Amino acid sequence: MPPTRVLVVDDAVVVRRLISEALSGDPDIEVVGTAANGRIALQRIRQCNPDVVTLDVEMPEMDGLETLRHLRADFPSLPVIMCSTLTERGASITMDALALGATDYITKPSQTGSFDESMQRFRDDLLPRVKALSRRAPASGSIKPFVAKSAGLRAEPVRIIAIGVSTGGPNALSVLMPRLRPDLDVPVVIVQHMPPMFTRLLAERLDAHCPLSVKESAGGELLRAGSVYIAPGGFHMVLTQLGGGVATALNQAPQENSCRPAVDVLFRTVASIYGAGTLGVILTGMGQDGLRGCQEIHERGGRILAQDEASSVVWGMPGFVAKAGLAEKVLPLDAIADEINRLAGDGPKPRVFSPLAAQPRAAAPS
């Protein structure tokens, strides 16, 4: 199999060198060119024919957003990974880039670290993304959209919707969330793998276009129907019983699946409190975070939906769940909202959500 061809675009010589050396150290990657700004990058794409482009957000002459607009017009399916600073401005521009069609993003290492430390950060964060995005074509014999024979047999009404998503998630959520019914009678909790600041901006943007109330969780919120709670970057979000209801809680326990927030952490507490009343939804994402949480939901009689391979940016998280036989349905992204609306529309639900009476009290992990 030929190596993945990468074009590195950044106005900083040091960053171009860091990224190039971090990627070139892998035998499956070939850096076929570099560019100092967007204008040069658009020329190099035609010359080098890359499989993946890494694109700096802020550059002279033609910045990342303008470059992306031109690139998407001529190369609509070419994977593009934005490289952003971990600042308010960098996060905002990156969210704009994702809305314009960027495939994924990373945050650059801080300038306080050494050259070797920065290179390791790029190896850890960028290399897996490049490899995952270079294998986007569905594999032969891959799982197609399906409905399990057991679908629809459970009588327990849906009491909560728990969503886990990673690579490609902001765009997937921007498709899914506006299609949810405005009178949705259950709360929604979401883990999207993102760093601090990014999750708050994501919540604000979804709230502006979604019929439901969307917010980044601050911890301690009592779950209410028609409200959406997104785990903040850098914190695990769990659910805990509080008086007669259920509330969010945040902690900074160790990462799981190299993630914090992690889908498994949230799904475990959702399953322990809501049991068969849980609807778990696994969307596009790299890795297998959410697999063990879905196993717990399944064991307690809850339902699980997974996004199909064709509509996923990376069919890692939903692929593991589907291949484990845990998904009741594997669906294209544009069909998932309708299925959620159908499953969550059966019967009246209380406006403040109490746990199932038969479930034991779940304490938040320390």
Side-chain angles (χ1 to χ4, degrees):
M1 192 173 173
T4 298
R5 299 166 58 84
V6 181
L7 175 66
V8 177
V9 185
D10 198 292
D11 65 317
V13 175
V14 173
V15 175
R16 292 201 301 274
R17 180 187 165 197
L18 277 167
I19 294 177
S20 296
E21 292 189 15
L23 296 179
S24 297
D26 190 290
D28 295 326
I29 305 292
E30 179 185 1
V31 176
V32 293
T34 63
N37 60 57
R39 293 189 188 282
I40 299 173
L42 294 173
Q43 297 171 357
R44 294 280 165 81
I45 289 172
R46 290 179 170 82
Q47 296 167 355
C48 301
N49 190 30
D51 299 310
V52 178
V53 174
T54 71
L55 183 59
D56 188 18
V57 167
E58 299 185 73
M59 298 179 292
E61 293 193 47
M62 183 182 288
D63 64 17
L65 292 182
E66 187 62 24
T67 304
L68 187 61
R69 290 187 183 95
H70 288 281
L71 191 156
R72 277 290 167 254
D74 296 332
F75 306 95
S77 61
L78 178 61
V80 177
I81 302 173
M82 305 303 296
C83 297
S84 165
T85 55
L86 189 54
T87 63
E88 183 86 15
R89 174 176 167 78
S92 180
I93 296 174
T94 301
M95 296 301 296
D96 290 338
L98 293 170
L100 287 172
T103 317
D104 201 2
Y105 71 95
I106 62 164
T107 56
K108 294 180 181 180
S110 68
Q111 297 181 352
T112 58
S114 69
F115 187 90
D116 288 342
E117 289 171 339
S118 296
M119 174 139 357
Q120 190 59 49
R121 269 283 308 277
F122 278 122
R123 287 196 187 106
D124 294 342
D125 294 348
L126 183 57
L127 188 56
R129 287 169 166 80
V130 169
K131 289 188 171 185
L133 293 175
S134 67
R135 303 187 181 103
R136 296 181 67 194
S140 175
S142 60
I143 295 174
K144 307 300 182 186
F146 73 85
V147 178
K149 292 181 180 179
S150 61
L153 298 181
R154 298 182 180 89
E156 179 68 44
V158 171
R159 296 172 179 265
I160 190 168
I161 298 162
I163 299 174
V165 61
S166 184
T167 312
N171 286 341
L173 291 171
S174 72
V175 171
L176 173 69
M177 300 305 292
R179 299 185 184 188
L180 295 181
R181 49 193 290 178
D183 61 343
L184 191 70
D185 260 348
V186 298
V188 181
V189 289
I190 299 175
V191 164
Q192 159 72 65
H193 295 158
M194 273 187 153
M197 287 185 286
F198 286 73
T199 45
R200 176 175 58 78
L201 291 173
L202 174 65
E204 291 172 356
R205 293 183 183 218
L206 289 175
D207 185 62
H209 297 96
C210 179
L212 308 176
S213 170
V214 183
K215 64 176 294 186
E216 180 188 59
S217 176
E221 300 102 344
L222 197 64
L223 297 190
R224 295 187 176 275
S227 292
V228 182
Y229 308 87
I230 296 179
F235 290 83
H236 291 306
M237 182 169 73
V238 299
L239 302 186
T240 181
Q241 296 183 16
L242 183 64
V246 178
T248 62
L250 306 178
N251 68 65
Q252 290 188 300
Q255 294 183 351
E256 291 196 22
N257 307 304
S258 301
C259 300
R260 190 174 60 214
V263 179
D264 279 336
V265 172
L266 174 64
F267 278 24
R268 281 200 301 269
T269 59
V270 172
S272 70
I273 293 175
Y274 288 94
T278 303
L279 173 59
V281 182
I282 293 290
L283 302 178
T284 176
M286 186 171 60
Q288 61 181 34
D289 188 26
L291 175 60
R292 288 190 288 271
C294 283
Q295 288 170 336
E296 296 207 22
I297 293 173
H298 184 76
E299 289 169 1
R300 293 174 181 265
R303 299 175 171 93
I304 298 164
L305 305 177
Q307 185 175 347
D308 74 347
E309 185 171 7
S311 65
S312 294
V313 172
V314 177
W315 206 56
M317 289 164 52
F320 276 102
V321 170
K323 291 172 184 177
L326 300 173
E328 182 175 291
K329 295 186 178 182
V330 175
L331 300 169
L333 177 62
D334 60 9
I336 292 177
D338 287 344
E339 185 63 15
I340 291 174
N341 289 335
R342 186 185 71 81
L343 292 173
D346 299 334
K349 318 287 191 312
R351 301 301 294 179
V352 175
F353 280 76
S354 299
L356 296 178
Q359 297 297 325
R361 182 177 179 86
S366 60

